[in-house]
Amino acid sequence: MTTLVLVVLCFVVGALELYASKQSRDQANAFSRRIEELNEQVTKQNNVLVTVGEQLTAELSRVKQDVLPALDTRLRQNTGQVEELAGLVHQADDFLRTQAGRLRDLEQQRITLAALRRKLTEVETSVRAVTRTGGGAADGRVDLALDRLADLERGGTEILELQRTLTRTLEDVEDVVAELLRFTEGELDDTVTAALTGRPRTHGDAVTATGRLWTRDEQLDDILSEMYERCVRSSRLNVRFRTAEGPNGDAPGSPERRRYFLGGQAADDLAGAFSALLISTGADLPSNGAAADARRGLARVEPGVPPGVEPTRPPEDEAALKALLRTLSESSGAVAQIGPLMAVRTRDELLCAVLTAAQSLELESDEVFWDPIAATVRLRRLPSHQLWDLTAWSTP
């Protein structure tokens, strides 16, 4: 019996060893298959990395051969232009210094001539008192000398005025050249940044809109310019450069026509912003035939303020636009344009409009921007949603 049990146990142990051996072989085969799969994946990834490396090498070669030489050429060209503009600015500065010295000399000559004239007048008085008889020839010479001195004094005054006009003109040219130089440097920096980073250029520093300003009243010229530029800044625009000229060139004593070249926002964004501001401004107008406190339009209300309650402090862009319109209303004739926004003041009306690009180009072609009356007639033809009559709003 014991022998039988031992035999059975031997069979059981042998079976277990066979089973364990089979399991070990299966695990070894599975491990081998897993290693082969990992080898295949590593081989594929290695091939992909080799392909990407070849592509990057080809792209770098193309950049070295095409992009970098072209960028170097553009940088040299722009550097040459900047140096040329800097030379012009230095020349203009030297010329201004020379003209200032000449102005001082002419002023000193005028003072000397005036003193000499007073001295000759005293001499004339004493000579006429002494020579009562036979002094006609001396009186004639003295009168001739006085007339000559008067002519010289008038000529010196005219030359002095011409020198002052030339100096003002050169200062304006210097301002335009300086602003153009800053604009060119900004464009160069933007181009280099875009080329090095691979990002597309934005239009933040580019000229995206034009502006105009003209007034008939010289007393309001300075304050109107200040309000205009404040409104430009509050609209997130910056003045790239500006020019000024008279209606017939640079005629002395005539109101200046000022042109502004603005950057910072696209024309479409400006049109939407100005429309919202004019809707808010139009809300201050009473309705026709209604009570004095009746409102129309959409008023801008700050968050947390109940409907119908005015905010204690309006936003900066709205306050700046209203300040500009209030200043325009004090004028007897003025035109202000900021991109698509156009405000016209005549003796009887104050109109505002938000123009499309085609409408702005049409008005510019007809030279309507500088004539308030003609501009008012043309603005009256626009659709009602583009035109705001603020005459009642501007009237106290």
Side-chain angles (χ1 to χ4, degrees), residues 372-384:
I373 297 178
T376 301
V377 174
R378 296 293 294 273
L379 293 182
R380 288 289 186 185
R381 302 176 188 174
L382 296 175
S384 59

Side-chain angles (χ1 to χ4, degrees), residues 150-220:
D151 293 338
L152 290 174
E153 186 176 3
R154 284 194 298 270
T157 302
E158 292 176 357
I159 292 175
L160 184 62
E161 184 63 29
L162 289 175
Q163 292 290 341
R164 288 173 179 171
T165 302
L166 179 60
T167 301
R168 287 195 298 269
T169 303
L170 289 174
E171 289 175 352
D172 294 338
V173 171
E174 184 180 13
D175 292 339
V176 172
V177 171
E179 291 177 352
L180 185 59
L181 181 61
R182 289 194 297 271
F183 174 74
T184 304
E185 291 176 348
E187 286 290 303
L188 178 60
D189 292 339
D190 196 9
T191 301
V192 173
T193 303
L196 294 178
T197 60
R199 299 176 181 175
R201 292 182 58 187
T202 61
H203 58 267
D205 292 332
V207 176
T208 57
T210 58
R212 293 174 177 83
L213 184 63
W214 176 85
T215 180
R216 180 180 290 117
D217 304 304
E218 296 182 359
Q219 297 83 358
L220 294 176

Side-chain angles (χ1 to χ4, degrees), residues 139-315:
D139 291 341
R141 287 193 296 272
V142 171
D143 292 337
L144 182 62
L146 291 176
D147 293 339
R148 179 59 177 167
L149 287 174
D151 293 338
L152 290 174
E153 186 176 3
R154 284 194 298 270
T157 302
E158 292 176 357
I159 292 175
L160 184 62
E161 184 63 29
L162 289 175
Q163 292 290 341
R164 288 173 179 171
T165 302
L166 179 60
T167 301
R168 287 195 298 269
T169 303
L170 289 174
E171 289 175 352
D172 294 338
V173 171
E174 184 180 13
D175 292 339
V176 172
V177 171
E179 291 177 352
L180 185 59
L181 181 61
R182 289 194 297 271
F183 174 74
T184 304
E185 291 176 348
E187 286 290 303
L188 178 60
D189 292 339
D190 196 9
T191 301
V192 173
T193 303
L196 294 178
T197 60
R199 299 176 181 175
R201 292 182 58 187
T202 61
H203 58 267
D205 292 332
V207 176
T208 57
T210 58
R212 293 174 177 83
L213 184 63
W214 176 85
T215 180
R216 180 180 290 117
D217 304 304
E218 296 182 359
Q219 297 83 358
L220 294 176
D221 191 26
D222 294 336
I223 184 64
L224 184 59
S225 299
E226 181 180 351
M227 293 297 101
Y228 178 88
E229 295 188 5
R230 176 192 170 191
C231 188
V232 167
R233 291 191 300 270
S234 66
S235 301
R236 292 181 298 173
L237 293 169
N238 50 73
V239 179
R240 302 305 303 150
F241 51 94
R242 61 178 70 83
T243 60
E245 61 180 14
N248 298 317
D250 292 329
S254 59
E256 286 187 339
R257 293 178 173 182
R258 299 183 181 178
R259 291 179 181 267
Y260 292 83
F261 297 88
L262 312 174
Q265 287 203 74
D268 295 339
D269 298 336
L270 288 173
F274 284 132
S275 296
L277 290 176
L278 288 175
I279 290 174
S280 176
T281 303
D284 296 338
L285 285 172
S287 302
N288 295 330
D293 58 348
R295 305 290 182 184
R296 67 176 177 87
L298 299 176
R300 178 187 295 184
V301 179
E302 294 182 349
V305 179
V309 177
E310 293 292 336
T312 57
R313 187 175 183 180

